[in-house]
Amino acid sequence: MITTGITTALNVDIDVKPASAIARAGAFLIDIMVIVVLYVGSILLMIMLDDVLSMLPGEARIGVYIALSIAPIMYPMVSELLLGGQTLGKMGVGIRVVRLDGRQLRLLDVAIRWLFFLIEVLATTGSMALVVVLFSKRSQRLGDMVAGTLVVNKPAPVSLEKVLALCTTSEERRALVFPSVSRLSDADIQTIRDVVDEAGRSSIRVDARMAALWTLRDGVARRLGVDTSMGAEEFLRAVLADYAALRG
């Protein structure tokens, strides 16, 4: 399985699996259908509002027609911005856009991807993007390379049951050891869970396992503003338990 690394907001490097060309092509086909539907709706809206629009001055009427004509093609950019890196097509195949530095997508990121989308996807019916994705190291198209983004398989959400399963005792689950755990997001908890799960595998060397746990421990401790003598795994499990308690 080919993976690539991104750095999370906790300054921890994690491996993610880039979305396959087939998955991206599937998302593209769905999104093209969405754009067609939006165009049809836009045309019907212009027909329905024709009498009203005819009352507007010439320049204003032209402006409205242009806006309604452009709106459907802007759907991918608006969707990725509002839906956390996903369009309806990406939702359908289970992939999403993320930044290589692990931070939240910005308007600039999706705008750059959209501008290149017009050239390497729409203008070439996807052939240009497909070639670049197949031969790029991280399965990125040009828009991803310029924006510093990556299309990856969307990870399964962290369930409360899985978080609680990491806690060692029922008493630990109820204790609120670090109240500042409220500063963490669901994405941070996902990272902690993934690292703890990975470190628990017997195939991981002891030195690598401990290095990963202690690196994450130090990053989380700095985020929470705490100074503790707890060991790495003990501390991380306590953080998971506190977060589960707050969510419960």
Side-chain angles (χ1 to χ4, degrees):
M1 179 179 67
I2 299 175
T3 61
T4 187
I6 63 172
T7 303
T8 70
L10 290 172
N11 294 319
V12 176
D13 293 329
I14 60 174
D15 287 334
V16 293
K17 183 180 180 182
S20 68
I22 294 177
R24 296 184 71 157
F28 169 69
L29 291 176
I30 295 174
D31 286 333
I32 285 297
M33 288 189 287
V34 173
I35 291 174
V36 170
V37 171
L38 291 176
Y39 261 119
V40 172
S42 180
I43 292 172
L44 292 177
L45 183 60
M46 285 188 279
I47 294 174
M48 293 172 57
L49 298 178
D50 185 62
D51 291 339
V52 176
L53 295 177
S54 64
M55 300 171 60
L56 297 175
E59 293 182 357
R61 185 168 63 255
I62 293 174
V64 172
Y65 282 131
I66 292 175
L68 289 174
S69 300
I70 294 177
I73 204 64
M74 296 183 69
Y75 145 75
M77 178 179 70
V78 175
S79 180
E80 287 180 359
L81 182 64
L82 298 181
L83 300 179
Q86 289 191 292
T87 59
L88 295 180
K90 289 183 176 66
M91 284 184 180
V93 299
I95 61 178
R96 69 183 304 169
V97 181
V98 297
R99 283 178 50 169
L100 289 175
D101 60 8
R103 298 183 183 276
Q104 185 176 0
L105 283 175
R106 303 168 300 177
L107 175 59
L108 178 62
D109 303 322
V110 295
I112 291 174
R113 295 188 80 257
W114 178 74
L115 289 174
F116 277 87
F117 170 81
L118 299 179
I119 300 171
E120 59 178 329
V121 179
L122 286 189
T124 65
T125 62
S127 59
M128 179 179 177
L130 178 61
V131 171
V132 176
V133 167
L134 289 175
F135 289 95
S136 65
K137 183 179 179 180
R138 290 173 165 171
S139 299
Q140 295 170 292
R141 62 178 176 86
L142 293 178
D144 290 314
M145 296 177 188
V146 176
T149 58
L150 184 69
V151 180
V152 301
N153 292 329
K154 185 179 179 182
V158 184
S159 67
L160 183 59
E161 290 76 14
K162 288 185 177 180
V163 173
L164 289 175
L166 291 172
C167 301
T168 54
T169 66
S170 58
E171 187 65 29
E172 182 186 14
R173 296 176 189 176
R174 294 192 297 271
L176 197 62
V177 183
F178 304 109
S180 56
V181 73
S182 58
R183 299 177 186 176
L184 300 180
S185 66
D186 288 345
D188 297 331
I189 293 299
Q190 174 78 48
T191 298
I192 295 173
R193 183 188 73 88
D194 287 345
V195 173
V196 171
D197 281 350
E198 187 70 20
R201 296 179 182 176
S202 58
S203 59
I204 305 298
R205 296 200 326 267
V206 175
D207 57 342
R209 178 165 63 245
M210 295 308 298
L213 289 172
W214 279 97
T215 298
L216 182 59
R217 176 202 181 280
D218 293 343
V220 174
R222 284 194 299 271
R223 174 70 73 85
L224 300 183
V226 299
D227 184 12
T228 176
S229 59
M230 283 185 175
E233 187 169 354
E234 179 187 8
F235 171 74
L236 294 175
R237 289 184 184 278
V239 168
L240 290 171
D242 283 352
Y243 193 83
L246 286 177
R247 290 291 297 274

